[in-house]
Amino acid sequence: MELASRIFISGHRGLAGSAIERRLKLEGFRDIIVRTRAQLDLRDQAAVDDFFASEQPDYVFHAAGVVGGIQANRSRPADFIADNLQMAVNVVDSAWRNGVAKLLFLGSSCIYPKLAPQPLKEESLLSGPLEPTNEWYAMAKLAGLKMCQAYRRQFGFDAITLLPTNLYGPGDHFDLESAHVLPALLRKIDEAHAARADSVVVWGSGTPRREFLYVEDLADACLFAMRHYDGEQPLNVGWGTDLTIGELALELARVVGFEGRFEFDRTRPDGTPRKVLDTSRLAALGWRPRVDLATGLELTYDWYRRSTAHAEVREHVPCSCFSPSS
Ligand code: GDP
């Protein structure tokens, strides 16, 4: 990848895509191609093919996706499987057909089987049944990974897959029903703090364990992999360490300055009990994350407070745009 390369980022308005775009610009890449959903519907095969034929990108970061938290996955299973599947098939196929040199596909740690041994190793993929609360999204992302592997085997197409853990950071979605846990709790705690409320509701038991990666670290990993990795096997991206949802709530309370209580709503699902990645494969290639959780939460809260001065953060409906990963 050279500074003059033509680079297409799908999902550039989403959490991961926007971070990749910022990072590429920071490094001096001059020829970055982006499209909003209104300009290019990635579910439309003919439109995607026309786009690749006319724009002729050299490199593709496929960060687009219909995304959301545990509740969004439950309420919109058809969108989660069909839209993500169509986008993956169209983008990988058209990229290869139109001479793209290399494609990076973003999967997600939620494609691992529900009961796979922790920390999750790449070899555990497809070794057992999926977590039912996000199996629709997971099936589509697994198919995308297999698209990359199949096109590599049959056509020699240099398509690689990264499997990031739960991402957070600037550009996230904060809709209370459909967001992921970290942005949802950050917003709830901030609002409770502002209203001097004495408690905040946390869904589920608070005991599930999750890992969180600051999205600028993901962008860094994407550029690293684009430059240094051309294997068929996917690579996990994360810290390899996790904490409980209850501990996350306390961390967020510390950042916000909220001193109230947490109430656990057990009518809401816990989802998978644990989801922590084994990151040794990417580490062996020489990549490690840099922004620890405490720093990342401060940066995210700072961004959130500045952004809530503009209404769009709260009004943003995650699934109305194509953006990245669960
Ligand atoms: P998951 O990682 O695919 O399970 O998706 P989420 O990020 O939506 O949820 C992770 C965990 O956080 C689950 O155990 C949720 O029940 C829990 N959780 C606690 N409070 C919230 C909340 O306000 N929103 C969401 N989305 N999850 C919450």
Side-chain angles (χ1 to χ4, degrees):
M1 220 171 38
E2 283 153 26
L3 293 183
S5 302
R6 269 175 88 63
I7 302 175
F8 173 50
I9 309 166
S10 72
H12 73 291
R13 287 182 161 178
L15 179 60
S18 60
I20 293 169
E21 186 181 9
R22 281 194 298 279
R23 180 57 189 267
L24 287 169
K25 285 185 171 161
L26 200 69
E27 291 205 10
F29 287 91
R30 300 186 288 273
D31 202 357
I32 301 170
I33 312 163
V34 293
R35 291 288 184 276
T36 63
R37 183 181 180 176
Q39 293 167 329
L40 174 63
D41 184 343
L42 294 171
R43 298 167 303 179
D44 179 342
Q45 188 178 17
V48 173
D49 219 35
D50 285 350
F51 164 78
F52 275 94
S54 64
E55 292 298 330
Q56 295 285 312
D58 304 311
Y59 294 89
V60 174
F61 291 90
H62 181 46
V66 175
V67 301
I70 200 161
Q71 186 57 37
N73 268 269
R74 281 176 117 200
S75 52
R76 301 180 58 209
D79 293 345
F80 274 78
I81 190 165
D83 290 4
N84 285 315
L85 205 45
Q86 281 171 333
M87 285 190 273
V89 170
N90 294 345
V91 170
V92 174
D93 182 70
S94 289
W96 168 71
R97 237 168 246 294
N98 290 284
V100 164
K102 186 164 188 169
L103 176 144
L104 185 150
F105 177 75
L106 275 181
S108 159
S109 62
C110 71
I111 74 176
Y112 281 98
K114 181 182 172 86
L115 298 176
Q118 308 273 338
L120 297 158
K121 285 184 188 295
E122 290 89 345
E123 300 83 71
S124 294
L125 286 166
L126 291 165
S127 62
L130 297 168
E131 159 57 41
T133 51
N134 58 29
E135 64 181 319
W136 321 103
Y137 179 83
M139 282 305 289
K141 287 289 177 184
L142 281 164
L145 156 64
K146 288 291 165 194
M147 281 290 295
C148 293
Q149 293 180 335
Y151 276 60
R152 174 181 293 281
R153 284 199 191 177
Q154 189 172 340
F155 306 124
F157 182 35
D158 192 359
I160 59 172
T161 301
L162 295 190
L163 303 178
T165 188
N166 302 292
L167 302 171
Y168 70 100
D172 211 343
H173 307 301
F174 291 83
D175 177 81
L176 288 183
E177 272 301 306
S178 55
H180 285 278
V181 60
L182 195 153
L185 280 183
L186 180 61
R187 176 173 167 186
K188 283 196 238 181
I189 294 169
D190 177 63
E191 290 179 353
H193 183 54
R196 298 179 194 280
D198 32 85
S199 68
V200 164
V201 174
V202 176
W203 293 358
S205 64
T207 58
R209 302 185 70 87
R210 295 287 185 277
E211 173 182 4
F212 298 95
L213 183 73
Y214 191 59
V215 72
E216 306 295 335
D217 271 336
L218 173 76
D220 192 53
C222 287
L223 268 71
F224 177 89
M226 202 55 127
R227 288 172 169 138
H228 302 295
Y229 184 65
D230 58 5
E232 178 180 299
Q233 295 310 317
L235 296 173
N236 287 339
V237 191
W239 282 96
T241 54
D242 59 358
L243 74 174
T244 68
I245 297 302
E247 288 164 344
L248 174 71
L250 292 174
E251 261 306 285
L252 286 165
R254 189 187 55 73
V255 170
V256 173
F258 173 69
E259 291 177 348
R261 290 176 291 112
F262 290 106
E263 285 169 13
F264 293 91
D265 176 1
R266 287 161 206 271
T267 63
R268 297 283 191 161
D270 267 346
T272 195
R274 193 171 184 209
K275 197 162 53 170
V276 63
L277 294 176
D278 181 318
T279 54
S280 48
R281 208 180 260 180
L282 190 52
L285 294 171
W287 187 86
R288 279 188 180 72
R290 279 182 281 216
V291 185
D292 63 29
L293 187 64
T295 309
L297 292 182
E298 297 283 353
L299 291 168
T300 304
Y301 186 48
D302 191 50
W303 177 86
Y304 174 77
R305 279 206 297 194
R306 281 186 281 114
S307 311
T308 42
H310 312 283
E312 73 267 17
V313 168
R314 283 158 199 235
E315 302 315 321
H316 202 105
V317 181
C319 302
S320 68
C321 77
F322 293 140
S323 58
S325 131
S326 175

